[in-house]
Amino acid sequence: MQLLLAGLVVLPLVGALAALLPAPPGLRGKNPDQAVLRHGVTVTGVVLAAAIALAAGFDHGHPARMQATTDISWIPALGIRIHLGVDGISLPLLVLTALLTFLCALYSYYRMPKGPSPKAFVALLLTLEAGTLATFAVLDLMLFFLAFEMVLIPMYFLIARWGGAQKQAAAWKFILYTLLGSVVMLLGLLLIGVKSGTFDMVALATDNGPKAQLSHTVQLLAVLAIGIGLAVKSPMWPLHSWLPDAHTAAPTVGSVLLAGVLLKMGTYGFVRIALPITPEGMHTFAPYLAALAAVGIIYGSLACLALVRKGAGGDLKRLIAYSSVGHMGFVLLGIASMTPTGVNGALFANIAHGLITGLLFFMVGALKDRTGSTDLDTLARSAPGPRPAGSGAAALLPTPSGAALYARAPRFGGLLAFGAVASLGLPGLAGFWGEMLAMFGAFRPAAGLSRPAFLTFMVLAGLGTLLTAAYLLLVVRRVCMGGSVDLAGAAVLGAADPDGETGADPDGTPAPAPAVPDLARYEYAAWAPLAALTVLAGLWPAALLGLTDPAVQQLLGGGK
């Protein structure tokens, strides 16, 4: 078990170095680019197999106990140790990271984003995986900070070199926001280490351990500093503005990993560090965190509603990015309640968001490959293709409802609709449980927190669920259903639909519907696990809550 956990962290780094070396003649094949992409699939596949083996060997009877631990002195003068371990809180995040990275590598093997050499792409992808896995595995504050920072450079280059429009500006905004937040976070971590005499996260989490050396003032300052860095990564309103630009510009796999994994590093830090190590400071700031989370839920939903309106020029990828602000607001609200119910809901919502939003970003990227655009007005009204002869230069063809996504690519349209209804929190799917438990936590927050205030935040969160359902159903209506349909189910060509979109050219000539390829086999392979796990987690939430609840109870109980 020790070797498995250490291998999870080290193997991607070794694979990243190997990706930069020339491929051996026997493995090079006819296309060296495909050889290095195959290398990425192989390494991430081995890491995923190791993560599954770690989960299988995990003692599920004692999920609150740190398992597969490694504790080696690294810098004795500073008291920094190479301390690794996994419990019921970190295990699901490790498996999710390994799964999403493998699916991204598999998808890239068939659909490599346009940009420089695949060697650099694979090396950056593996380095990003190593940093993310290390963040969830380390139990030393300084190692946590190093792993937390390790992911920034790979993600910056993935956006800046393989991204779309405005990629340089988005990459710079991403790196500046997260670096500035991390500098402030480092000050908080150092304050804890200096005042307590240790950086060991397990020792600091116990009431009778070094945490006793932390005064109320020290905890307040530490939570404020650490919370700013974690809130930027989460992202919490109003520190979220880097996220929509980064998602819009990032390549498909960059968006999947950014939403599915990197955002979880911030919320994980709140649960692993802020709640158990500085509980008094968290208790003071919890109402403010909950208020900002509730505002973020409403803000993200309203921003999505503004983007989905006809004529707003909204981008579907940007809309899903804003939806992440709202969904992560539920996670932060659950954490702010400081109750086992709320924190368990936050951890469940973390996993659900990674599965569902990862699937949605995969599909939006594939939709752009098929249609050439993620503009909602374009997707609802038109598809790329030349106009009929005599109509002028090539332009976008209006698409009748009979040629909407459901009709042209029914499996693709159906899966997109599935992802949308999962994201809005439909009961029976993964998105429901985390948001419900987070609101239950706000309904009865920890002792000493203002219940009327948290009831207000819960009501705002409930309103956010209604707004979320509204904009996601509008997305399905516009992208998947297209124009109006007569009673027999046939498209009404040339008739304006309720959005004012037409299904014919201005001269009344019905516009032919350009073909849109349905799901390919590699897309089935990359997306089916996410859809299946979304259903499984929705129907059997105890599988995840059984892991997290004992660990959360112990964490909030001061190690008891």
Side-chain angles (χ1 to χ4, degrees):
M1 292 287 285
Q2 285 179 312
L3 291 176
L4 279 174
L5 185 58
L8 278 176
V9 177
V10 174
L11 184 58
L13 281 177
V14 175
L17 292 174
L20 298 174
L21 301 175
L27 299 177
R28 191 174 303 164
K30 296 180 180 179
N31 189 339
D33 288 347
Q34 288 299 103
V36 73
L37 292 172
R38 187 165 57 247
H39 168 79
V41 175
T42 303
V43 174
T44 55
V46 172
V47 172
L48 176 59
I52 294 173
L54 182 69
F58 186 81
D59 184 359
H60 292 261
H62 300 87
R65 190 180 72 237
M66 282 294 171
Q67 302 180 34
T69 55
T70 299
D71 192 1
I72 304 171
S73 178
W74 184 33
I75 308 177
L78 299 178
I80 300 175
R81 307 181 67 82
I82 299 177
H83 192 182
L84 306 177
V86 61
D87 64 355
I89 293 173
S90 54
L91 180 63
L93 291 167
L94 287 169
V95 176
L96 176 67
T97 300
L99 173 65
L100 284 178
T101 311
F102 169 71
L103 297 180
C104 285
L106 180 64
Y107 185 82
S108 299
Y109 180 78
Y110 294 95
R111 181 68 69 173
M112 172 69 191
K114 295 179 181 178
S117 165
K119 280 189 175 185
F121 176 83
V122 171
L124 290 169
L125 190 67
L126 292 173
T127 305
L128 182 67
E129 180 181 33
T132 311
L133 290 170
T135 301
F136 299 136
V138 298
L139 297 173
D140 184 277
L141 290 177
M142 287 298 100
L143 281 185
F144 176 85
F145 174 77
L146 293 176
F148 199 84
E149 294 301 286
M150 183 178 172
V151 304
L152 300 185
I153 300 303
M155 182 54 70
Y156 167 81
F157 281 109
L158 285 174
I159 297 172
R161 303 299 298 276
W162 287 272
Q166 305 296 321
K167 58 185 179 183
Q168 293 292 341
W172 274 110
K173 196 171 185 179
F174 163 77
I175 200 74
L176 287 175
Y177 265 76
T178 49
L179 273 179
L180 288 174
S182 297
V183 169
V184 180
M185 184 178 75
L186 176 61
L187 297 176
L189 296 176
L190 289 173
L191 179 63
I192 291 175
V194 169
K195 292 296 183 179
S196 66
T198 182
F199 291 106
D200 190 287
M201 293 158 68
V202 176
L204 285 165
T206 57
D207 284 341
N208 58 353
K211 182 170 63 175
Q213 306 297 322
L214 302 177
S215 67
H216 182 70
T217 302
V218 169
Q219 291 195 31
L220 285 177
L221 293 174
V223 166
L224 182 61
I226 295 171
I228 289 174
L230 297 176
V232 171
K233 187 66 71 72
S234 291
M236 181 184 73
W237 182 91
L239 303 175
H240 70 284
S241 61
W242 62 270
L243 182 70
D245 293 338
H247 270 309
T248 305
T252 298
V253 295
S255 293
V256 171
L257 293 176
L258 184 58
V261 177
L262 265 67
L263 303 188
K264 312 304 177 287
M265 295 166 61
T267 52
Y268 173 79
F270 276 109
V271 175
R272 180 64 74 191
I273 299 173
L275 280 177
I277 297 176
T278 55
E280 293 179 25
M282 270 296 293
H283 195 279
T284 301
F285 284 108
Y288 304 100
L289 177 62
L292 293 174
V295 172
I297 293 170
I298 299 296
Y299 171 83
S301 299
L302 291 177
C304 291
L305 280 172
L307 288 172
V308 80
R309 284 187 304 108
K310 178 182 178 292
D315 184 277
L316 183 55
K317 202 173 183 184
R318 194 174 188 86
L319 183 145
I320 297 174
Y322 272 110
S323 76
S324 292
V325 177
H327 288 307
M328 297 310 290
F330 283 97
V331 177
L332 293 170
L333 179 62
I335 293 170
S337 73
M338 297 187 70
T339 62
T341 300
V343 176
N344 275 301
L347 294 172
F348 197 102
N350 258 345
I351 301 300
H353 180 264
L355 295 171
I356 298 168
T357 309
L359 175 63
L360 287 173
F361 274 119
F362 266 133
M363 300 202 71
V364 172
L367 191 60
K368 185 174 183 179
D369 291 336
R370 284 163 163 80
T371 65
S373 176
T374 53
D375 178 79
L376 279 162
D377 290 330
T378 302
L379 293 174
R381 178 182 65 245
S382 54
R387 290 184 179 276
S391 63
L396 292 176
L397 282 172
T399 303
S401 61
L405 197 56
Y406 278 159
R408 291 184 288 163
R411 294 180 183 86
F412 191 99
L415 189 57
L416 181 60
F418 168 83
V421 297
S423 186
L424 63 83
L426 185 72
L429 298 176
F432 170 75
W433 296 105
E435 295 181 1
M436 183 193 71
L437 291 173
M439 288 192 286
F440 277 172
F443 179 74
R444 197 174 297 278
L449 295 177
S450 171
R451 194 179 181 208
F454 273 81
L455 286 175
T456 302
F457 304 146
M458 184 196 72
V459 171
L460 291 174
L463 176 60
T465 61
L466 298 177
L467 297 175
T468 300
Y471 72 74
L472 285 170
L473 291 175
L474 283 172
V475 167
V476 173
R477 161 70 180 83
R478 299 195 69 200
V479 176
C480 297
M481 298 181 181
S484 59
V485 179
D486 65 13
L487 294 178
V492 182
L493 300 179
D497 70 4
D499 286 333
E501 295 154 357
T502 63
D505 282 333
D507 61 2
T509 304
V516 173
D518 214 333
L519 292 178
R521 275 185 286 185
Y522 73 90
E523 291 172 334
Y524 274 117
W527 304 344
L530 300 179
L533 289 172
T534 298
V535 175
L536 180 63
L539 296 178
W540 190 26
L544 184 55
L545 294 173
L547 280 174
T548 62
D549 184 54
V552 168
Q553 297 276 2
Q554 180 170 301
L555 212 62
L556 295 178
K560 299 176 184 177

